[in-house]
Structure formats: structure tokens, C-alpha cells
């Protein structure tokens, strides 16, 4: 076995065992456990079946980068699905993360896709990943800025409505107090 | 023009001006005893709100700081809801002498404008910090080109608005540093405004929020907003000729 095979098998075994243990004991969420189990099993299988690694291409920096990107994509995908599950992220906001994670995962696992992207852009796989991530971060920041502006406008609207409602309440309370005072008989009934 | 108490309200946006409130209240009451005063506390962190309550005037308390624009928009909504025909705006730092309100009221009485603005530069003789005066001059020149009329004091908050202008401002009012952008908005929507010469005085106590980095941000924000304003279309729902028939 070569060094990458050993590394793949070792990491795969750790991932798979942790995922299995977590799934059985329910110490963490089942979703996360299942994802870890799948990744672990795949890495373990890849360790003992060099054909998979050969299918991915000869050992090189680009191949290692593809593995790292694939793992990061799976981690991001898992975290996103988990965030939706526990209602910390809305589906509308998660859509972008899921699309990017799946795109990166597909590009890193399937060499024809990576080759196609290389031909299309004329850049190396490393450059495509860096440019893609940069574009992702910029787009995300842009979207966040818009969301923040939108939320600030909504907050301002709520603040204004609250201030006006409070003033109206004060006015009504004062009128009620005045009304009670004037309605109170000056002399007790005989 | 004699304003009845039920026809006009004095709106005063305030943020951390506890030291100026009592004096300003007394001064306004001495000059305009029959006008309603409405303070708008813009999320003060000092005792401004307590001082306002002591005056016995109406007040709006904003739980979050919205900036002068947000505070004024709340004030205009209040004025509309309460059925006022006019709203006068004075700054809470005491820079706008209540005695000078008469000039704005007199100009509004002519009936040919929707907003009257008190200008400290129209009569000349106002001495301010040189960098601030230079900035205001550049802004005046720029805004005059946009509005196609001479504007001498684009940052003046000493204003009086009629019901039509209040309706516009209640629906749409610039945030942060709103005065120059509000003039561009008025011009774009077909409203009429005029400046009158008024005296300003130095703030009595406390510090202006427009210093150092805030002044630079102000310049950047205002010029960007005015530039973008040129790219906007007229909002037909709030155009003056449309509102005229409804008010």
C-alpha cells in the first residue's frame, strides 16, 4: 500500500468508527453521524482499492487539493443540513451553501468535470478553486450587506411604530385618567 | 400668519442633549405658548428622556438610535396622525433660536412653498469653522446644480413643512444626515421650497456628533446619496400634484 492509501484507509476508519459509534449512542445528531459514516466508508474503501485513487488520477498536489476540497464540501454540506435541521438557518439562506458545496464536491470527485472546467476557463484546478471560493465569499458578503440593510430598515420601521404606539397609549391613559377625575362626583350621594 | 396650537407642532429630535432640553423648552414656551411641542428622543443614553418628561410636553421615545432622519420621519408621522397642518423642526442642541421661527412662519404664510428652510448664510455674517464652511459651500454648489436653484444652507435642519411635504417625508425620508438629500428629494418629487435668512447660534452645551471621522463619513455619505438620487425615478404615488388632490 502506498502512503496516500494508508492515509485514506486510516482517516476512513476513524471517520467510519466515530460515525457508527455516534449513530448507535445518539451522542450527536444522526445526520452528522450518517455523513461521517459515508465519508469514512468511502475513504476506507479507497484505501484498499487503489483503483479508486487511480481513477481520480496520479498522485499529485492537484489530487490532494481535490481531496481536501471534497472533504471541506462534505463538512460544509453536513453543517448546513444540520443548521436547517435545528432551525438555525432558513432553507432560503441555505440554498446557496448547498449549491456551492455540491458543486465543489462534484468538481473534486469527478475528474471529467474538473477537466471540463479547466478547458473552459484555461486555468489550473487550484486557480479555479481559489477563484471560485473568492467569488463565493464576495457574493456572500454582498448578500449579507443587502440582508443587513433590509433588516435595519425593518428595525427602523418597528422602532417608529413602537414609539408612536407608546405615545398614543400615554395619550389615552391621560384622557382616561382625566375622564375618571371629571366623572367622580364631588359630593357623595346622600 | 398666526398659527393656532391645533395647526402646528414643533418637532425636536434629541440625542444625548440632557443639558439643553429645559432651557430650550422654556425659550419655546415663552415665544410660542400655544404651539404643541413634540420631542423625539433618538435612543439617548443620558438623562434626556427624564428631562423631556419633566417638561410635560409630548414626546416620542425611540428604543433604538435611528439617526436624525429616522427620528424626524417618526415626528412627521406623528404630526400627520394628530392632524397638524404644519411642522416646525428645531434642533435639540439649541442652535435654532425659537425667536427665529417667526421668519419661517411668515414665509410659509405666503402659501407658495411646501417647505421653508432657515439659512444661516443667506444674510451673511455667519462665522463657522473653516473646514465646515468649505464643505457646506461645496455641497451648496453641488445641490444647487441638482435642484436647479440656489441653495445656500443645504445642511440646515431649521425647517417648516406643510401637510403635503409632511406626507412625503412620513413615507420617505433619508436616514443618517438627511437635510441635503431631503432637498434633492423635494426637488425630484416636484415640491416647492424656499430659504429665509435666519440667525443661528453656537450649540449651548455638549458636543456635536459631526466631528472627526463622522464628518468625513457625512461628506462621503451625502455625496454618494445625492449622486444615486439622480438615478432614481420620481415616485408617482408621492408626487406633489398627486398629493395635492388628496390632502
Amino acid at each position: 500500500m502506498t502512503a496516500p492509501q494508508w492515509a485514506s484507509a486510516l482517516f476512513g476508519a476513524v471517520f467510519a468508527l466515530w460515525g457508527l459509534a455516534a449513530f448507535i449512542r445518539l451522542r450527536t445528531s444522526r445526520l452528522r453521524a450518517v455523513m461521517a459514516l459515508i465519508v469514512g466508508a468511502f475513504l476506507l474503501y479507497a484505501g484498499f482499492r487503489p483503483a479508486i485513487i487511480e481513477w481520480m488520477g496520479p498522485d499529485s498536489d492537484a489530487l490532494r487539493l481535490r481531496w481536501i476540497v471534497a472533504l471541506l464540501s462534505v463538512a460544509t454540506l453536513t453543517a448546513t443540513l444540520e443548521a436547517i435541521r435545528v432551525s438555525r438557518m432558513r432553507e432560503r439562506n441555505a440554498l446557496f451553501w448547498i449549491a456551492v458545496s455540491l458543486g465543489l464536491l462534484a468538481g473534486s470527485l469527478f475528474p471529467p468535470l474538473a477537466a471540463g472546467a479547466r478547458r473552459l476557463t484555461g486555468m489550473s484546478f487550484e486557480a479555479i478553486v481559489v477563484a471560485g471560493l473568492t467569488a463565493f465569499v464576495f457574493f456572500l458578503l454582498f448578500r449579507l450587506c443587502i440582508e443587513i440593510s433590509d433588516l435595519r430598515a425593518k428595525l427602523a420601521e418597528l422602532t417608529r411604530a413602537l414609539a408612536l404606539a407608546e405615545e398614543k397609549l400615554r395619550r389615552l391613559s391621560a384622557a382616561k385618567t382625566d375622564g375618571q377625575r371629571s366623572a367622580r362626583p364631588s359630593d357623595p350621594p346622600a | 400668519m398666526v398659527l393656532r396650537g391645533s395647526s402646528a407642532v414643533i418637532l425636536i429630535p434629541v440625542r444625548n442633549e440632557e443639558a439643553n432640553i429645559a432651557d430650550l423648552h422654556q425659550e419655546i414656551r415663552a415665544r410660542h405658548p400655544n404651539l404643541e411641542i413634540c420631542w423625539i428622543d433618538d435612543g439617548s443614553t443620558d438623562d434626556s428622556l427624564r428631562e423631556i418628561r419633566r417638561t410635560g410636553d409630548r414626546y416620542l421615545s425611540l428604543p433604538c438610535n435611528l439617526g436624525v432622519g429616522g427620528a424626524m420621519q417618526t415626528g412627521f408621522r406623528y404630526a400627520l396622525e394628530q392632524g397638524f397642518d404644519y411642522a416646525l423642526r428645531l434642533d435639540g442642541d439649541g442652535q435654532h433660536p425659537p425667536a427665529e421661527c417667526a421668519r419661517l412662519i411668515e414665509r410659509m404664510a405666503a402659501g407658495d412653498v411646501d417647505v421653508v428652510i432657515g439659512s444661516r448664510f443667506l444674510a451673511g455674517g455667519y462665522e463657522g469653522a473653516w473646514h465646515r464652511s468649505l464643505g457646506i459651500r461645496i455641497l451648496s454648489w453641488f445641490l444647487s446644480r441638482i435642484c436647479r436653484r440656489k441653495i445656500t444652507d443645504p445642511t440646515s435642519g431649521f425647517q417648516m413643512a406643510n401637510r403635503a411635504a409632511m406626507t412625503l417625508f412620513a413615507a420617505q425620508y433619508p436616514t443618517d444626515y438627511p437635510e441635503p438629500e431631503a432637498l434633492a428629494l423635494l426637488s425630484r418629487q416636484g415640491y416647492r421650497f424656499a430659504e429665509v435668512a435666519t440667525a443661528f447660534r453656537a450649540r449651548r452645551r455638549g458636543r456635536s456628533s459631526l466631528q472627526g471621522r463622522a464628518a468625513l463619513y457625512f461628506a462621503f455619505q451625502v455625496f454618494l446619496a445625492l449622486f444615486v438620487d439622480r438615478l432614481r425615478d420620481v415616485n408617482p404615488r408621492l408626487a406633489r400634484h398627486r398629493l395635492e388632490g388628496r390632502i
Side-chain angles (χ1 to χ4, degrees):
Chain A
M1 279 171 82
T2 60
Q5 277 180 274
W6 274 113
S8 177
L10 195 66
F11 276 117
V14 171
F15 262 111
L17 284 175
W18 178 81
L20 193 65
F23 187 81
I24 292 167
R25 291 183 195 169
L26 284 176
R27 277 176 59 191
T28 180
S29 76
R30 281 200 162 162
L31 179 73
R32 217 180 296 174
V34 168
M35 293 300 263
L37 204 58
I38 292 169
V39 172
F42 182 75
L43 287 175
L44 195 62
Y45 185 70
F48 288 100
R49 290 294 299 268
I52 284 188
I53 295 177
E54 282 162 15
W55 172 73
M56 293 286 289
D59 183 28
S60 64
D61 286 347
L63 178 65
R64 287 171 200 164
L65 181 70
R66 273 163 58 188
W67 275 112
I68 290 168
V69 170
L71 283 175
L72 282 177
S73 304
V74 170
T76 310
L77 198 61
T78 313
T80 309
L81 293 174
E82 180 67 8
I84 299 171
R85 194 185 68 86
V86 296
S87 304
R88 280 175 60 195
M89 191 188 276
R90 288 167 61 186
E91 286 82 353
R92 192 169 67 93
N93 299 333
L95 201 65
F96 185 59
W97 284 95
I98 291 173
V100 169
S101 304
L102 286 177
L104 282 176
L105 189 64
S108 53
L109 287 184
F110 300 106
L113 278 178
R118 274 204 304 270
R119 270 200 307 278
L120 203 66
T121 58
M123 295 192 288
S124 64
F125 183 71
E126 293 92 327
I128 291 172
V129 169
V130 171
L133 286 177
T134 310
F136 171 68
V137 168
F138 270 108
F139 185 76
L140 198 68
L141 280 176
F142 182 72
R143 269 194 58 165
L144 284 177
C145 279
I146 289 175
E147 291 256 335
I148 288 170
S149 296
D150 193 34
L151 286 174
R152 284 186 72 167
K154 284 178 185 165
L155 176 71
E157 199 57 46
L158 277 174
T159 305
R160 277 193 285 270
L162 180 65
L164 287 167
E166 274 182 353
E167 203 285 328
K168 203 175 279 181
L169 196 64
R170 278 195 297 272
R171 206 177 268 262
L172 287 172
S173 304
K176 194 178 169 191
T177 312
D178 289 348
Q180 279 172 350
R181 272 195 204 130
S182 59
R184 199 174 295 157
S186 52
D187 296 319
Chain B
M1 179 167 70
V2 178
L3 291 177
R4 284 177 291 110
S6 58
S7 71
V9 59
I10 297 178
L11 301 172
I12 311 172
V14 168
R15 178 167 163 79
N16 296 340
E17 298 284 359
E18 60 177 351
N20 293 317
I21 289 167
D23 289 350
L24 190 56
H25 165 78
Q26 283 174 4
E27 211 178 337
I28 296 171
R29 276 283 156 261
R31 293 276 177 180
H32 307 283
N34 59 341
L35 293 187
E36 180 170 315
I37 302 172
C38 180
W39 302 83
I40 306 143
D41 178 46
D42 188 18
S44 293
T45 50
D46 65 358
D47 277 340
S48 293
L49 192 58
R50 202 179 62 182
E51 288 295 318
I52 290 169
R53 284 191 183 124
R54 272 190 193 156
T55 63
D57 297 329
R58 298 273 170 210
Y59 67 92
L60 300 164
S61 172
L62 301 173
C64 307
N65 171 236
L66 298 185
V68 186
M72 280 312 297
Q73 192 173 15
T74 316
F76 287 126
R77 284 191 188 176
Y78 168 80
L80 277 181
E81 276 184 18
Q82 298 300 320
F84 290 104
D85 295 322
Y86 301 98
L88 268 154
R89 174 189 158 186
L90 301 185
D91 276 355
D93 56 10
Q95 282 194 3
H96 306 146
E100 296 288 298
C101 290
R103 294 175 192 268
L104 274 67
I105 295 168
E106 200 179 312
R107 182 66 187 85
M108 183 60 89
D112 60 340
V113 289
D114 300 301
V115 175
V116 182
I117 302 139
S119 167
R120 75 200 101 169
F121 300 112
L122 204 58
Y126 180 82
E127 293 285 327
W130 69 269
H131 56 279
R132 187 171 282 200
S133 297
L134 179 69
I136 290 175
R137 277 190 187 174
I138 295 170
L139 191 56
S140 298
W141 176 85
F142 191 59
L143 201 58
S144 298
R145 301 280 89 72
I146 288 174
C147 298
R148 297 198 180 107
R149 52 168 302 150
K150 189 167 172 59
I151 292 163
T152 60
D153 197 351
T155 60
S156 169
F158 197 12
Q159 299 176 350
M160 183 174 186
N162 68 7
R163 204 164 166 80
M166 282 196 290
T167 308
L168 170 71
F169 288 154
Q172 192 179 343
Y173 199 68
T175 51
D176 290 342
Y177 308 108
E179 295 85 9
E181 215 185 323
L183 293 180
L185 173 69
L186 284 170
S187 175
R188 175 158 49 91
Q189 293 292 130
Y191 289 77
R192 304 157 303 176
F193 58 91
E195 287 185 319
V196 289
T198 49
F200 278 35
R201 59 192 177 196
R203 68 166 26 248
R204 292 176 158 187
R205 298 177 195 91
R207 285 182 66 221
S208 166
S209 60
L210 211 60
Q211 287 179 333
R213 272 190 305 179
L216 279 177
Y217 171 69
F218 166 76
F220 169 75
Q221 190 256 332
V222 165
F223 279 104
L224 179 66
L226 289 175
F227 177 72
V228 174
D229 188 77
R230 293 293 84 198
L231 307 174
R232 290 191 176 125
D233 292 328
V234 173
N235 183 346
R237 201 171 52 82
L238 295 169
R240 193 187 184 284
H241 64 274
R242 286 280 295 274
L243 284 179
E244 210 168 26
R246 295 212 311 256
I247 293 168

